[in-house]
Amino acid sequence: MQEKKVVNIGLFGLGTVGTGVVKLIEGHQEDLVKQTGNEIKIEKILIQDPDKDRNYKVDSNLLTTDPWEIIHNKDIDVIIEVMGNVYPTYEYLMAALEQRKHVVTANKDLMALHGAELLQQASKYQCDLYYEASVAGGIPIIRALVEGFASDRITKLVGIVNGTTNYILSKMSEEGLSFEEALRQAQELGYAESDPTSDVEGFDAARKMAILSNLSFHMDVNIQDVKVKGITQVTKEDIELGKQLGYVIKLLGIAQLKDEQLAISVQPTMINKNHPLAKVNGVFNAIYVYGEAVGETMFYGSGAGQLPTATAVVSDLVTVVKQMNLGVNGRGVVAPYRPKLMMSDELMTSRYFIRLKVSDRVGVLARITENFAEEMVSIEEVLQLRLHEEKKAQLIIITHETSKAQLSRLLPKLESLEVVDAINSVYPVEGDEVE
Ligand SMILES: NC(=O)c1ccc[n+]([C@@H]2O[C@H](COP(=O)([O-])OP(=O)(O)OC[C@H]3O[C@@H](n4cnc5c(N)ncnc54)[C@H](OP(=O)(O)O)[C@@H]3O)[C@@H](O)[C@H]2O)c1
């Protein structure tokens, strides 16, 4: 009987995800052997603190604090990078690829910033570089986009790709908490970090949308191409008023192709309460994909966590090992092949929710709608509510499809009207009109 070849792994990081990777490789060894024909062996593990008390026991001889011991080890075939951070990780992985080691990573910060260079390096040295776990943890969305949609043309992606902000907005909506209260709860439960900036300002979601857009639209997209607005300004009032009109507020990443022009944004958005994405609550993630041929599809699941994320990492590893057996590593990467053209504000359209504080007297509505008419912004729905303050009212207007350019001309005009005290909030509106 032919002896099983051993594939040796160098694991960079033994934290949340790294420990999950060890558990899966040890626990599912028999399945991995059946699927690949190879025994998978963890040869060395890079950590930074050898004295750390670890809740999952590994052989201490496997641990090292020297990355070069792994990078220059001729017996190691694949590096699994789950240590995080952009630097020095980038230098380590560039060097590992040069040493002809295949790489699997869960690092979205690194892939959003240096993905193109790393993929080029992988191609140059005929190595694989896979990064399924970097977006939406346990949801196999990258594989779906690259393989499942290979024969289609994706026209739009709408995603809830950050579990922390989805948890906060869900709590604000379900329990009437303020942003600050919901954030505190998320931190107590370990869903938000002590410095939550990257999540609540939308940067984490923007990195993931850049990665997904690159793969969906075959353009060399980077993080600067994503327009970002976080959720810190979302108020209980907006959530309640949205509900009254049949909408839920979600931090949506939207990437859309129109006339070969691409727009990518991450911003709090009102979505029709009957849309499947409106029902994605807590820390869950979901990505809604529109394909020209296939129509609409949705991918839903855990966006993070030890085992969901490790599953994506180890599945990438299985692909690498199968390709090693076929001798086809490094041939699967499709570099962006369409010229990048970002969408003009004239072409970028959405419906909008606009909340104004206005004077409560005769003729105010006419003064306001006059300005909408001048900018050719058509109104779908108006709701007027009394405010406790004397002679003041709240006006909520939902527009029909309006271009960003029209909106940019309209808002300053409204702001300058003597009858308008303030523009309290403006949100794009996604999904069908509420019946
Ligand atoms: N956690 C999730 O649910 C999740 C989901 C999707 C993607 N990811 C991504 O997966 C990666 C890992 O996340 P994690 O949550 O597992 O992180 P973590 O718990 O903080 O673990 C990081 C590990 O890397 C080691 N490490 C960090 N910097 C190092 C350095 N300079 N040299 C040597 N070792 C170093 C640490 O060593 P010590 O143990 O000695 O401190 C630790 O074992 C990140 O890129 C993250 O964005 C995580």
Side-chain angles (χ1 to χ4, degrees):
M1 208 171 82
Q2 206 184 356
E3 209 187 320
K4 295 189 293 280
K5 182 187 175 307
V6 178
V7 172
N8 290 310
I9 309 296
L11 181 62
F12 282 12
L14 187 61
T16 306
V17 184
T19 305
V21 168
V22 176
K23 284 182 188 169
L24 281 188
I25 290 179
E26 288 180 356
H28 295 183
Q29 186 64 226
E30 205 181 316
D31 288 298
L32 296 176
V33 171
K34 288 259 165 28
Q35 289 184 42
T36 61
N38 300 78
E39 186 185 326
I40 312 273
K41 179 166 168 252
I42 295 177
E43 182 74 11
K44 272 284 165 199
I45 304 176
L46 176 70
I47 41 117
Q48 52 187 356
D49 178 3
D51 300 323
K52 197 170 179 176
D53 204 8
R54 298 178 194 275
N55 53 18
Y56 188 79
K57 287 285 161 239
V58 294
D59 178 354
S60 60
N61 292 320
L62 295 181
L63 303 181
T64 177
T65 53
D66 178 8
W68 304 104
E69 188 191 335
I70 299 179
I71 292 166
H72 292 295
N73 183 334
K74 295 260 179 283
D75 293 332
I76 287 180
D77 307 285
V78 184
I79 303 280
I80 293 182
E81 185 278 301
V82 283
M83 60 185 263
N85 294 321
V86 176
Y87 307 106
T89 319
Y90 172 64
E91 285 86 356
Y92 295 171
L93 295 190
M94 287 297 271
L97 289 164
E98 196 176 343
Q99 295 301 312
R100 297 185 185 273
K101 310 219 178 297
H102 309 295
V103 171
V104 172
T105 175
N107 194 328
K108 70 213 151 226
D109 303 341
L110 178 65
M111 288 310 292
L113 204 62
H114 288 302
E117 293 107 294
L118 284 162
L119 286 163
Q120 241 171 35
Q121 181 86 331
S123 246
K124 183 171 167 190
Y125 292 100
Q126 280 151 38
C127 289
D128 281 336
L129 168 61
Y130 284 101
Y131 48 100
E132 181 64 74
S134 67
V135 181
I139 309 174
I141 183 65
I142 291 185
R143 196 160 278 122
L145 293 176
V146 172
E147 292 172 16
F149 287 85
S151 63
D152 204 350
R153 264 202 119 188
I154 294 171
T155 52
K156 188 173 175 183
L157 289 179
V158 184
I160 294 174
V161 290
N162 180 273
T164 308
T165 46
N166 202 46
Y167 176 85
I168 293 171
L169 292 174
S170 300
K171 284 285 154 184
M172 288 174 75
S173 178
E174 288 161 9
E175 295 174 21
L177 302 186
S178 67
F179 167 75
E180 289 74 17
E181 288 163 338
L183 170 62
R184 206 170 319 119
Q185 218 182 75
Q187 284 171 323
E188 279 162 15
L189 290 167
Y191 295 149
E193 304 197 10
S194 51
D195 176 2
T197 313
S198 172
D199 290 322
V200 299
E201 294 296 352
F203 304 139
D204 175 83
R207 285 180 203 118
K208 294 167 178 168
M209 287 307 293
I211 295 173
L212 294 181
S213 301
N214 202 310
L215 296 168
S216 302
F217 305 106
H218 307 288
M219 292 181 190
D220 190 6
V221 171
N222 58 53
I223 183 85
Q224 280 79 31
D225 298 317
V226 187
K227 302 248 183 317
V228 191
K229 188 173 172 202
I231 64 163
T232 54
Q233 307 299 316
V234 176
T235 61
K236 287 201 268 192
E237 290 75 27
D238 290 332
I239 289 181
E240 275 315 309
L241 290 166
K243 262 189 202 168
Q244 282 188 35
L245 291 163
Y247 295 97
V248 178
I249 299 183
K250 294 284 180 194
L251 183 70
L252 294 187
I254 303 184
Q256 193 167 11
L257 192 68
K258 234 190 254 177
D259 295 349
E260 299 301 315
Q261 296 177 38
L262 181 64
I264 318 170
S265 63
V266 168
Q267 55 189 324
T269 304
M270 296 262 175
I271 184 160
N272 184 324
K273 69 177 190 323
N274 295 320
H275 191 287
L277 285 173
K279 299 180 172 79
V280 175
N281 288 318
V283 289
F284 280 94
N285 282 196
I287 298 108
Y288 209 80
V289 186
Y290 297 74
E292 235 170 45
V294 76
E296 299 174 22
T297 51
M298 181 160 123
F299 300 82
Y300 169 86
S302 291
Q306 181 173 83
L307 291 176
T309 311
T311 305
V313 170
V314 179
S315 297
D316 276 349
L317 172 66
V318 168
T319 305
V320 171
V321 176
K322 284 179 177 170
Q323 298 194 155
M324 283 169 69
N325 290 333
L326 294 169
V328 294
N329 299 101
R331 301 211 202 138
V333 178
V334 179
Y337 56 83
R338 284 208 202 123
K340 182 172 78 180
L341 195 55
M342 299 313 288
M343 204 180 283
S344 68
D345 283 0
E346 299 291 343
L347 199 59
M348 207 182 292
T349 64
S350 175
R351 288 153 62 226
Y352 286 97
F353 167 106
I354 302 171
R355 175 159 75 94
L356 306 169
K357 183 178 169 190
V358 298
S359 302
D360 191 8
R361 58 180 148 91
V362 176
V364 169
L365 194 56
R367 284 288 292 126
I368 290 169
T369 52
E370 220 170 73
N371 283 270
F372 277 72
E374 276 171 22
E375 291 306 330
M376 312 278 285
V377 175
S378 156
I379 294 174
E380 178 188 308
E381 196 170 354
V382 179
L383 176 69
Q384 180 165 347
L385 298 168
R386 270 257 174 81
L387 281 174
H388 291 307
E389 216 177 311
E390 210 186 330
K391 298 218 166 96
K392 295 291 169 197
Q394 187 143 242
L395 205 59
I396 295 100
I397 299 173
I398 299 203
T399 72
H400 282 296
E401 284 291 316
T402 300
S403 76
K404 196 153 177 232
Q406 281 171 295
L407 187 77
S408 308
R409 290 192 294 267
L410 172 66
L411 293 179
K413 277 187 163 182
L414 294 178
E415 208 153 31
S416 68
L417 290 178
E418 169 260 325
V419 295
V420 173
D421 283 21
I423 300 178
N424 291 122
S425 49
V426 178
Y427 293 89
V429 177
E430 182 65 24
D432 295 335
E433 291 177 15
V434 173
E435 298 291 319

